[in-house]
Amino acid sequence: MALSLNKVMLIGNLGNDAETRFTPNNVSVTTFSLATNRSYKGKDGNWVNETTWHNIVCYNLPDSLKELLKKGKKFYIEGRISKRDYTDKDKIKRYFTEIISERLIPLDSKDVASENIQTYEQEGDVDVEATDADNDLPF
């Protein structure tokens, strides 16, 4: 067997409040976007800021953490890259890349200072087939 690795670590800010849906098998699927930034010097010598947006998916996230997933909040996300496709309502095949979260840690000072800080770590694999019930929705 060949050795391979699919691991992503991100620190960024939520671009929107998280949304949670449930699959027919009652698996909760929480989705949100996360912005990461990098700065570099352009050809003209001036600093350029670049933002990359990531689509994040969390399975069976505790309600206490869902409440913290608000626009602008800073989080550490650890997970894996997943690419899938779906056919939209116009019968056009679309491709979608997302980060499947395996660990989620709030980093805002208010949330970190709380004595009841919640972190999330995915235990085992989630039946991904059960989450693809509605292929017209890219989440």
Side-chain angles (χ1 to χ4, degrees):
M1 176 161 71
L3 181 63
S4 67
L5 177 66
N6 181 353
K7 190 67 136 181
V8 176
M9 293 180 282
L10 302 168
I11 293 177
N13 296 84
L14 271 67
N16 59 313
D17 291 354
E19 294 181 17
T20 300
R21 297 182 176 119
F22 290 87
T23 68
N25 292 355
N26 208 30
V27 174
S28 77
V29 182
T30 302
T31 58
F32 56 91
S33 62
L34 186 84
T36 57
N37 300 301
R38 80 177 189 107
S39 298
Y40 62 92
K41 279 196 176 183
K43 292 180 182 179
D44 61 2
N46 293 321
W47 284 99
V48 177
N49 293 318
E50 178 181 272
T51 301
T52 302
W53 290 94
H54 310 274
N55 299 306
I56 310 295
V57 178
C58 304
Y59 295 107
N60 295 321
L61 200 60
D63 289 338
S64 57
L65 255 176
K66 288 178 196 173
E67 294 171 10
L68 298 178
L69 292 169
K70 302 293 182 192
K71 181 177 181 176
K73 294 281 192 162
K74 185 177 291 290
F75 273 84
Y76 167 81
I77 310 274
E78 189 174 312
R80 61 183 169 81
I81 298 171
S82 176
K83 183 179 176 186
R84 61 188 174 96
D85 60 75
Y86 67 98
T87 303
D88 68 12
K89 62 184 176 186
D90 298 323
K91 307 295 183 204
I92 298 171
K93 194 168 200 171
R94 304 283 184 184
Y95 297 91
F96 200 70
T97 302
E98 54 201 3
I99 307 299
I100 307 300
S101 174
E102 296 168 349
R103 176 179 279 173
L104 183 68
I105 301 172
L107 296 179
D108 276 336
S109 57
K110 178 184 170 189
D111 299 329
V112 172
S114 169
E115 292 181 18
N116 297 324
I117 184 170
Q118 289 281 326
T119 62
Y120 163 77
E121 198 156 340
Q122 179 69 48
E123 295 179 16
D125 285 336
V126 174
D127 182 3
V128 177
E129 292 298 316
T131 65
D132 258 352
D134 190 352
N135 285 333
D136 285 341
L137 297 175
F139 76 86

